Amino acid sequence: MIGRHLLADLWGIDAARLRDGALLRQCLVDAARVCGLTPVAGPVMHEFPGGGVTGFILLSESHLSLHSYPEKGFLALDLFTCGGSDPRDGLAVFRDRLQPAREDITVQARGRETP
Amino acid sequence: MIGRHLLADLWGIDAARLRDGALLRQCLVDAARVCGLTPVAGPVMHEFPGGGVTGFILLSESHLSLHSYPEKGFLALDLFTCGGSDPRDGLAVFRDRLQPAREDITVQARGRETP
C-alpha cells in the first residue's frame, strides 16, 4: 500500500463557516501541520460568487482538498497521505473548527500491490 | 448525491511517462476538457528530485489530481466531478496516453443525503 486516502463528507455545518475562505484555508494548513506533512504548493483557494469555497494543498505525501456547499451545509474533504502519517489527525482539525452534525467517512487504501 | 469521485490506481506504466511532467499536465488539461469541466485554478504541478510528479486542477466541479511513482510504475489518479459529467471520460485520456497494464478503480458517490 502506498497511501491512505480519507474521504470525508461532512454535513450540517454552519453556512457562514463554509463561506469563510480564510477559515477553510487555515484548516488545510493546520491539518497538514498536525499530520506532519510537507506542502509543495498552495494552499490554492477559489471562492465562487454563490459563496462556495474550493481549495487544495499539494504535498510531498499527496494532497488535501476541500469543496464547500454552504447552501447544503456540506463539505467534501479529501485527506490523501502517503507514508506514515494518519489522515484522521487532519480530520480532527476540520471537526473542531467546523462542527459537522453528521459525517460519512471512507478510508481507501491507495496503491495496493495485490488488490 | 453531489458528485462522483473516481479513484484510479494505475499500475505497469512506463517510468519515463511517469516522470514526464508536461505529459501528465496535458493529461489533466485534456481530461478536464473531454469531461466538459471548468478549471478555476491550475494545473499546479510539482516535480520531485527522484522523478515523481504530482499535480492538481481545481474545477468549478471539484478537482482532478495525480501522484506518480515512476520507480513503481504507479499513478494515483483522482477524478472528482460534480454535476452531469462522467469522470470515466477523463480516465480514458489517461488510459490512452499512459497505457497502464493494471487498474484498480473505485467510484465513490460524494454527498449522499442519506448514506
Side-chain angles (χ1 to χ4, degrees):
Chain A
M1 190 179 82
I2 287 175
R4 278 184 287 189
H5 189 162
L6 189 154
L7 298 88
D9 287 358
L10 306 178
W11 292 95
I13 300 170
D14 178 63
R17 298 186 196 194
L18 293 177
R19 289 190 188 98
D20 187 340
L23 169 66
L24 295 172
R25 184 184 195 285
Q26 195 61 46
C27 287
L28 286 172
V29 170
D30 291 344
R33 185 178 44 77
V34 301
C35 290
L37 301 165
T38 310
V40 296
V44 174
M45 307 297 293
H46 181 83
E47 301 189 23
F48 294 98
V53 177
T54 185
F56 72 93
I57 299 186
L58 209 50
L59 305 165
S60 273
E61 306 86 357
S62 297
H63 70 263
L64 312 182
S65 70
L66 58 80
H67 310 289
S68 84
Y69 296 79
E71 73 286 4
K72 293 180 184 287
F74 175 69
L75 184 78
L77 174 66
D78 283 72
L79 307 168
F80 179 4
T81 65
C82 295
S85 64
D86 188 340
R88 287 172 296 193
D89 295 338
L91 176 60
V93 170
F94 286 88
R95 271 193 191 125
D96 180 59
R97 311 273 171 86
L98 303 181
Q99 300 285 320
R102 183 164 75 75
E103 302 181 355
D104 188 6
I105 308 289
T106 305
V107 181
Q108 178 98 11
R110 300 298 299 266
R112 289 172 297 175
E113 303 270 352
T114 51
Chain B
M1 190 179 82
I2 287 175
R4 279 183 287 188
H5 189 161
L6 189 154
L7 298 89
D9 287 357
L10 306 178
W11 293 95
I13 301 171
D14 177 64
R17 297 187 197 194
L18 293 177
R19 289 191 189 98
D20 186 340
L23 169 66
L24 295 173
R25 184 183 195 284
Q26 194 61 46
C27 287
L28 286 172
V29 169
D30 291 345
R33 186 177 44 77
V34 301
C35 290
L37 300 165
T38 311
V40 296
V44 174
M45 308 297 294
H46 183 82
E47 301 188 24
F48 294 96
V53 177
T54 187
F56 207 102
I57 298 187
L58 203 53
L59 305 165
S60 273
E61 306 86 356
S62 298
H63 71 261
L64 311 182
S65 69
L66 59 79
H67 308 289
S68 84
Y69 295 79
E71 73 287 4
K72 293 179 183 288
F74 175 69
L75 184 78
L77 174 66
D78 283 70
L79 308 167
F80 180 5
T81 66
C82 295
S85 64
D86 188 339
R88 288 172 295 193
D89 296 337
L91 176 60
V93 169
F94 285 88
R95 270 192 191 125
D96 179 58
R97 311 272 171 86
L98 302 181
Q99 300 285 321
R102 182 164 75 77
E103 302 180 356
D104 187 6
I105 308 289
T106 305
V107 181
Q108 178 99 9
R110 300 297 299 266
R112 290 172 297 174
E113 303 270 352
T114 51

